[in-house]
Amino acid sequence: QQQVKQSPQSLIVQKGGISIINCAYENTAFDYFPWYQQFPGKGPALLIAIRPDVSEKKEGRFTISFNKSAKQFSLHIMDSQPGDSATYFCAASLQTGANNLFFGTGTRLTVIP
Amino acid sequence: NAGVTQTPKFQVLKTGQSMTLQCAQDMNHNSMYWYRQDPGMGLRLIYYSASEGTTDKGEVPNGYNVSRLNKREFSLRLESAAPSQTSVYFCASSEPGQGNIQYFGAGTRLSVL
């Protein structure tokens, strides 16, 4: 059973456009929601993360929007660039215990020039 | 400072063969993880080690064993490889209390024929 559901599976965006990836979770005990970025042949790397006490976090062109009541969070990439082309994974975890991450299934983003 | 190092990068096995995937981290992290990544499935946790001397099953442990050799090293063993274990394997490490950030290696691409 997938603890974190992610959509869309793939996304094609024009350069300069906005990329939006959505995730939903069921476990209300989750208290940490990171996004990881993975380039071909590489391991995932942390891009940005949010905790449920805030509704939005912005770092440069990347923004996480968090809706606690709906148990949803999303990644917005503003002014998308070809260099943003990668696979993006949302995840969720508990701060206690072993901090295991539960990953979404991934979104393959392609930004065309 | 190499971060998380995985060996080998590629491996081809025949059904029934055994092998060990090696992982080492130089960040003095207490927690280490093994994931497998399959198309459309995201990353799924196989085993984790919250601290030196402890290991626990993750979401998909069947067919695998692990050893936390010391604080730096965490190995994954396939005793009798099966085609269903064809996948890309990632090792990660983290330090509880440092923001739940997991740092990933570059992966091992394994094919079982």
Side-chain angles (χ1 to χ4, degrees):
Chain A
Q1 182 183 355
Q2 197 75 30
Q3 297 235 20
V4 179
K5 295 181 179 178
Q6 182 173 347
S7 64
Q9 188 173 356
S10 63
L11 182 60
I12 300 174
V13 173
Q14 289 259 323
K15 179 183 175 181
I18 303 174
S19 303
I20 302 174
I21 305 170
N22 300 300
C23 286
Y25 63 97
E26 287 298 323
N27 189 345
T28 56
F30 287 145
D31 54 8
Y32 175 71
F33 301 90
W35 285 87
Y36 279 75
Q37 180 187 53
Q38 183 182 28
F39 293 104
K42 305 290 186 183
L46 179 69
L47 180 65
I48 186 172
I50 196 168
R51 301 198 187 278
D53 52 344
V54 296
S55 60
E56 186 175 282
K57 183 173 181 180
K58 184 176 181 179
E59 290 185 1
R61 296 183 294 107
F62 300 91
T63 300
I64 300 178
S65 297
F66 186 80
N67 185 330
K68 190 173 182 178
S69 61
K71 294 185 288 186
Q72 296 174 347
F73 58 110
S74 60
L75 176 70
H76 295 235
I77 305 174
M78 311 299 288
D79 187 26
S80 298
Q81 299 296 312
D84 297 330
S85 297
T87 299
Y88 293 81
F89 294 96
C90 61
S93 77
L94 302 170
Q95 288 208 68
T96 57
N99 303 322
N100 294 344
L101 287 171
F102 295 91
F103 284 89
T105 51
T107 297
R108 186 169 185 171
L109 172 65
T110 302
V111 181
I112 52 178
Chain B
N1 192 345
V4 178
T5 302
Q6 291 183 237
T7 56
K9 294 189 186 309
F10 302 95
Q11 185 70 48
V12 178
L13 293 177
K14 294 181 179 178
T15 297
Q17 287 185 318
S18 63
M19 79 160 296
T20 300
L21 281 63
Q22 307 286 352
C23 175
Q25 51 94 7
D26 62 3
M27 296 174 282
N28 202 37
H29 287 167
N30 275 295
S31 299
M32 297 186 73
Y33 311 83
W34 275 105
Y35 293 90
R36 60 177 290 172
Q37 182 176 22
D38 302 290
M41 303 289 285
L43 290 116
R44 293 180 293 169
L45 184 65
I46 304 171
Y47 270 93
Y48 65 97
S49 171
S51 61
E52 185 179 356
T54 69
T55 60
D56 286 287
K57 295 178 181 179
E59 182 184 357
V60 288
N62 291 345
Y64 305 95
N65 285 300
V66 290
S67 296
R68 185 73 183 266
L69 303 170
N70 47 56
K71 191 172 184 179
R72 290 187 63 248
E73 299 173 287
F74 188 38
S75 63
L76 178 72
R77 183 160 178 84
L78 286 70
E79 290 291 352
S80 179
S84 61
Q85 294 178 305
T86 293
S87 187
V88 182
Y89 291 86
F90 287 99
C91 176
S93 70
S94 74
E95 183 58 31
Q98 291 185 4
N100 291 48
I101 301 172
Q102 290 191 15
Y103 297 86
F104 285 79
T108 294
R109 188 174 295 272
L110 176 67
S111 293
V112 183
L113 305 178

